[in-house]
């Protein structure tokens, strides 16, 4: 550690040399302890620094001192402490010396040594501050006074340098993190754009169109959904090639964007099919807007030097928002109108009419039959076990509804549940399912029952109170009921959903997010909502062995769940290979044909009492339960 001594009297330099020769006194020990208190560490640590280890540089004039400080800085060996006399004729005085040294080296600790009071400490601090780096010793001084001051200030100087270096490093890391954050944000923005836009036209793609349509269906007011298909596009592809077809697609997309009503969303849905979404005052206005678009497409275009006659047909459906309409169904109706237009010729616009849709008539018959199904005793529940990954212990069952109709026989829940969801029948149906499941649950030794609730049920007034009243009436602990909801149910009103889920969790209910990975969830949603577990959609499990994307999604969901402390249930597990892959990935629970098909209440009771399953063997004694044997109707 380098020390600078600045004094015009040779005798004083001798005093400094004797002081730093290693002599100590009791008063010196006390000063050492005091320095430790002031500058950190303890007295014993300071005493370990050998005073003889100081490197002293002696100068007799202030200008020489300034020059030595400059050289030391240039050599990369700066002084830690400088002891400066105030009076040093005939050169510059100690005050000026301190000022110039401070200008060169902001880190050095200055000790003013004087027997006079030519300048006050405030005056010196003004020119050579900061005040916490200037100290004072009166002449004549004690040996311990000098050595302990030097030791303490040298230690402080060393700590200050380490702290400064740490701050520089931290600042560099902050800058690096900010740069990385900006790069990640830019990459995320590019990725989102790529995921929601068509690579050929840069127009919104089917995903973006469907999301916009879903958002529009929730808002009040009339809107038009239009499907547009190019006429004779296949002929252009076949005669001029795919590059010419791509060029025509780009030209038509630009025409649609120019001719669509103001504020309309124009998307390329795939191939030569486009979608248009816009506000309208009624069916007549919607049709007129579509006719202008179709007319704009009927122009002669130059494609790679060839004259190509453009043309398009369109199907339009005008819908009332805020009615809980399914956006996929709105697109389907528009597609039906487009198909009718294509059958009628070219350059035609067709408005959707319910006579075009046999499905609507079918839904009406189903809705009528469903309203009487409970009274007729046509509904039943089956139960599929949920097992732990290692012990294959049955920890719960998912309750699944079945409807055996007089007219259609066994009808898949995927057919009648959406129809019930579109009407208030879903509440009556849901109440029956919950009551039936809770009655069966009473007989099980400790497992829970998992019941699905649709988005409309979840948005029901006093949903939490209704569920609590049901379990209290049944005499069931809330922890034995798992409430399964889909991402769609919480996406519509995230704030209300978060509050509802929090209340349910506070009361002790289990919460599972069903079909995870297929909806609108984000990391923000998962953090925000009170959940117990995620259920991986069966489509990803089924695709694990064939598609790297499905396997990557499954691994990501499992790792996400584990990182957030959530259970992860893999649905639709059918093969041993899937089981092994899911175990390796870290899934906590399994559900699917590999363990058991959905079974009747009495068989579920036997499983619950046995607690453990034996792999693929069906506990009812029916042998292996594979999808091929059971058929797809048992999936839900």
């Amino acid at each position: 550690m380098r020390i600078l001594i600045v004094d015009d009297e040779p005798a004083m330099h001798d005093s400094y040399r004797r002081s730093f020769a290693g002599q100590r006194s009791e008063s010196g020990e006390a000063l050492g302890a005091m320095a430790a208190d002031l500058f950190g560490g303890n007295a014993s640590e300071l005493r370990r620094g050998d005073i003889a280890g100081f490197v002293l540089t002696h100068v007799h004039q202030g200008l020489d001192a300034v020059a030595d400080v400059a050289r030391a800085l240039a050599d990369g060996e700066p002084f830690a402490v400088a002891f400066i006399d105030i009076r040093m004729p005939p050169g510059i005085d100690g005050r000026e010396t301190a000022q110039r040294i401070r200008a060169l080296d902001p880190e050095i600790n200055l000790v003013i040594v004087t027997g006079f009071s030519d300048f006050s400490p405030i005056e010196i601090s003004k020119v050579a501050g900061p005040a916490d780096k200037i100290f004072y010793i009166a002449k004549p001084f004690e040996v311990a006074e000098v050595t302990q001051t030097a030791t303490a200030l040298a230690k402080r100087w060393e700590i200050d340098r380490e702290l400064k270096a740490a701050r520089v490093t931290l600042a560099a890391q902050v800058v690096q993190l900010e740069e990385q954050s900006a790069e990640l944000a830019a990459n995320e923005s590019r990725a989102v754009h790529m995921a929601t836009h068509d690579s050929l036209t840069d127009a919104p793609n089917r995903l973006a169109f469907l999301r916009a349509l879903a958002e529009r269906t929730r808002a009040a007011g009339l809107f038009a959904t239009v499907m547009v298909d190019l006429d004779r596009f296949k002929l252009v592809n076949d005669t001029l090639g795919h590059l010419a077809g791509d060029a025509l697609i780009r030209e038509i997309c630009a025409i649609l964007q120019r001719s669509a009503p103001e504020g309309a969303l124009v998307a390329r849905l795939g191939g030569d099919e486009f979608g248009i979404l816009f506000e309208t005052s009624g069916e007549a206005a919607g049709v007129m807007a579509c006719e202008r678009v179709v007319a704009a497409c009927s122009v002669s275009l130059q494609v790679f030097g060839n004259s190509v006659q453009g043309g398009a047909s369109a199907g339009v459906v005008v819908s009332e928002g805020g009615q809980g309409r399914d956006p996929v169904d709105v697109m389907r109706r528009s597609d039906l109108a487009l198909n009718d237009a294509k059958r009628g010729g070219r350059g035609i616009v067709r408005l959707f009419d319910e006579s075009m849709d046999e499905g609507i008539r079918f839904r009406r018959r189903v809705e009528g039959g469903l309203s009487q199904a409970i009274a007729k005793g046509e509904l039943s529940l089956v139960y599929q076990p949920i097992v732990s990954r290692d012990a294959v212990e049955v920890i719960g069952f998912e309750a699944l509804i079945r409807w055996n109709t007089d007219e259609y026989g066994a009808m898949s829940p995927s057919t009648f549940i959406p129809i019930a969801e579109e009407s208030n029948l879903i509440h009556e149906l849901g109440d029956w399912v919950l009551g039936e499941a809770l009655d069966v649950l009473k007989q099980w030794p400790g497992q829970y029952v998992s019941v699905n609730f649709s988005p409309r049920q979840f948005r029901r007034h006093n949903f939490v109170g209704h569920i609590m009243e049901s379990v209290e009436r049944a005499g069931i602990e809330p922890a034995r009921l798992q409430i399964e909801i889909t991402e769609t149910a919480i996406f519509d009103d995230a704030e209300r959903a978060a509050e509802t889920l929090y209340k349910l969790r506070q009361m002790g209910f289990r919460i599972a997010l069903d079909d995870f990975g297929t909806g609108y969830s984000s990391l923000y949603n998962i953090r925000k909502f009170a959940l117990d577990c995620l259920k991986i959609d069966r489509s990803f499990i089924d695709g694990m062995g064939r598609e790297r994307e499905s396997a990557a999604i499954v691994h990501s969901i499992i790792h996400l769940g584990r990182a957030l402390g959530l259970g992860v249930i893999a649905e639709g597990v059918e093969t041993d290979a899937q089981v092994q892959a899911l175990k390796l990935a870290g899934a906590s629970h399994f559900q699917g044909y590999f363990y058991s098909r959905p079974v009747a209440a009495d068989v579920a009771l036997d499983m619950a009492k046995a607690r453990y399953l034996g792999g693929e063997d069906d506990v009812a004694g029916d042998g292996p339960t594979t999808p091929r044997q059971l058929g797809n109707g048992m999936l839900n």
Side-chain angles (χ1 to χ4, degrees):
M1 201 75 69
R2 302 191 65 191
I3 304 292
L4 179 64
I5 310 295
V6 189
D7 200 300
D8 63 329
E9 297 181 22
M12 289 305 300
H13 286 282
D14 291 338
S15 297
Y16 279 112
R17 289 188 183 94
R18 288 193 299 273
S19 297
F20 285 96
Q23 298 177 3
R24 289 190 175 273
S25 65
E26 292 182 0
S27 61
E29 296 292 341
L31 283 172
M34 184 182 301
D37 289 338
L38 286 172
F39 305 119
N42 54 52
S44 62
E45 288 176 340
L46 291 173
R47 286 196 297 272
R48 284 200 295 268
D50 185 1
I51 295 180
F54 286 118
V55 178
L56 305 183
T57 298
H58 295 265
V59 296
H60 294 80
Q61 293 296 327
L63 291 176
D64 293 337
V66 173
D68 274 0
V69 169
R71 276 193 298 272
L73 289 170
D75 294 340
E77 296 179 349
F79 290 102
V81 185
F83 289 85
I84 305 173
D85 186 24
I86 281 292
R87 292 184 177 183
M88 293 182 292
I92 61 176
D93 60 23
R95 176 176 175 273
E96 179 70 16
T97 301
Q99 180 179 4
R100 295 192 186 188
I101 289 176
R102 175 65 69 213
L104 289 172
D105 188 354
E107 306 302 325
I108 192 171
N109 291 294
L110 303 179
V111 182
I112 306 301
V113 184
T114 181
F116 303 93
S117 56
D118 298 40
F119 302 103
S120 69
I122 293 177
E123 289 179 290
I124 298 176
S125 293
K126 283 181 179 179
V127 298
D132 66 337
K133 287 186 178 293
I134 298 180
F135 302 87
Y136 301 89
I137 293 179
K139 289 182 179 179
F141 51 72
E142 293 285 339
V143 170
E145 203 176 357
V146 171
T147 57
Q148 290 301 322
T149 299
T151 301
L153 292 182
K155 182 65 176 177
R156 171 189 169 157
W157 178 82
E158 185 178 28
I159 293 173
D160 285 348
R161 283 171 61 86
E162 292 173 354
L163 181 59
K164 182 179 179 180
R167 285 174 175 165
V168 170
T169 301
L170 181 60
Q173 290 173 342
V174 169
V175 171
Q176 184 180 12
L177 287 173
E178 288 174 347
E179 291 174 351
Q180 290 174 346
S181 177
E183 184 179 354
L184 286 172
N187 289 339
E188 181 181 5
S189 178
R190 285 192 295 270
V192 169
H193 184 85
M194 291 174 63
T196 56
H197 286 75
D198 171 51
S199 59
L200 179 62
T201 63
D202 202 40
N205 59 13
R206 179 178 290 272
L207 174 62
F209 187 80
L210 189 58
R211 285 183 176 176
L213 180 57
E215 184 176 345
R216 183 60 190 83
T217 58
R218 291 192 291 272
L222 292 174
F223 65 94
T225 307
V226 186
M227 296 292 115
V228 178
D229 194 73
L230 303 191
D231 297 331
R232 298 181 297 269
F233 178 73
K234 187 176 184 300
L235 179 63
V236 174
N237 258 352
D238 291 345
T239 57
L240 300 180
H242 291 286
L243 291 179
D246 289 347
L248 178 60
I249 289 290
R250 285 193 291 267
E251 291 283 352
I252 293 295
C253 183
I255 291 173
L256 293 176
Q257 290 170 335
R258 290 195 301 268
S259 60
E262 185 177 357
L265 173 69
V266 177
R268 184 190 178 206
L269 306 181
D272 62 335
E273 187 178 25
F274 293 85
I276 307 177
L277 180 64
F278 61 90
E279 305 294 320
T280 186
S281 59
E283 292 183 342
V287 170
M288 288 179 62
C290 289
E291 288 175 341
R292 287 193 292 269
V293 169
V294 168
C297 293
S298 299
V299 293
S300 181
L301 301 170
Q302 291 296 314
V303 178
F304 292 165
N306 298 284
S307 180
V308 175
Q309 181 62 39
S313 299
V316 56
V317 59
V318 175
S319 310
E320 176 71 40
Q323 303 296 313
R325 289 187 178 277
D326 180 3
V328 174
D329 186 60
V330 174
M331 286 184 67
R332 185 185 63 82
R333 294 181 182 213
S334 184
D335 259 329
L336 288 172
L338 173 61
N339 292 337
D340 193 70
K342 299 290 279 188
R343 286 193 295 267
R346 299 188 180 99
I348 294 176
V349 176
R350 283 283 190 268
L351 177 68
F352 173 78
D353 186 288
E354 291 196 1
S355 63
M356 300 175 184
D357 189 5
E358 170 60 29
I360 291 178
R361 294 191 292 275
F362 170 74
R363 282 199 296 276
R364 285 178 177 169
R365 290 196 296 271
V366 170
E367 186 176 331
L370 195 56
S371 64
Q372 303 175 37
I374 296 176
K376 289 182 176 180
E378 294 176 348
L379 297 176
S380 63
L381 289 184
V382 291
Y383 303 86
Q384 188 169 38
I386 301 169
V387 303
S388 60
R389 56 170 286 159
D390 295 320
V392 197
E393 179 184 0
V394 178
I395 53 99
F397 293 85
E398 181 178 359
L400 302 168
I401 191 169
R402 298 290 181 259
W403 183 21
N404 191 29
T405 71
D406 291 336
E407 185 176 359
Y408 301 106
M411 183 175 292
S412 170
S414 62
T415 300
F416 67 83
I417 291 296
I419 297 174
E421 176 74 0
E422 290 178 3
S423 67
N424 284 326
L425 286 174
I426 192 64
H427 298 304
E428 183 181 355
L429 195 64
D431 290 346
W432 180 86
V433 170
L434 180 59
E436 187 76 7
L438 292 177
D439 281 343
V440 172
L441 176 63
K442 294 178 186 178
Q443 305 172 48
W444 299 344
Q447 291 83 359
Y448 66 82
V449 66
S450 192
V451 177
N452 292 276
F453 291 87
S454 73
R456 178 167 287 197
Q457 287 176 276
F458 188 67
R459 293 191 293 269
R460 184 180 188 176
H461 176 67
N462 197 27
F463 174 74
V464 176
H466 176 70
I467 299 298
M468 194 66 198
E469 181 184 353
S470 299
V471 297
E472 287 179 346
R473 187 169 55 247
I476 300 296
E477 289 295 322
R480 296 189 65 196
L481 173 62
Q482 177 165 280
I483 296 170
E484 284 197 30
I485 56 171
T486 62
E487 297 174 75
T488 306
I490 61 178
F491 180 74
D492 289 347
D493 188 346
E495 293 300 324
R496 180 185 178 279
E499 182 182 354
T500 300
L501 295 179
Y502 176 77
K503 288 179 180 177
L504 290 168
R505 280 288 301 279
Q506 287 292 98
M507 292 177 177
F509 293 101
R510 302 169 58 93
I511 309 293
L513 189 58
D514 196 17
D515 299 338
F516 184 70
T518 62
Y520 302 100
S521 277
S522 66
L523 287 178
Y524 173 75
N525 285 344
I526 300 306
R527 289 188 300 105
K528 182 178 181 180
F529 297 127
L531 302 172
D532 288 285
C533 69
L534 307 176
K535 297 192 77 173
I536 306 175
D537 185 69
R538 69 181 68 250
S539 62
F540 298 129
I541 304 299
D542 182 57
M544 283 180 66
R546 304 187 307 272
E547 305 162 354
R548 282 189 305 175
E549 293 83 359
S550 292
I553 290 172
V554 170
H555 279 259
S556 298
I557 292 173
I558 292 173
H559 290 162
L560 172 63
R562 294 179 65 185
L564 297 177
L566 304 176
V568 179
I569 301 175
E571 292 187 293
V573 179
E574 298 178 355
T575 67
D576 181 64
Q578 290 173 345
V579 170
Q580 299 309 318
L582 289 165
K583 283 185 177 181
L584 190 63
S588 59
H589 298 88
F590 303 95
Q591 178 181 348
Y593 284 170
F594 181 80
Y595 296 99
S596 172
R597 63 182 180 181
V599 296
D602 57 341
V603 180
L605 177 59
D606 291 339
M607 287 184 177
K609 290 179 178 178
R611 284 188 59 194
Y612 297 95
L613 296 183
E616 290 187 5
D617 293 337
D618 185 82
V619 295
D622 296 332
T625 55
T626 66
R628 187 175 300 168
Q629 291 171 312
L630 297 175
N632 291 330
M634 299 299 289
L635 281 173
N636 291 296

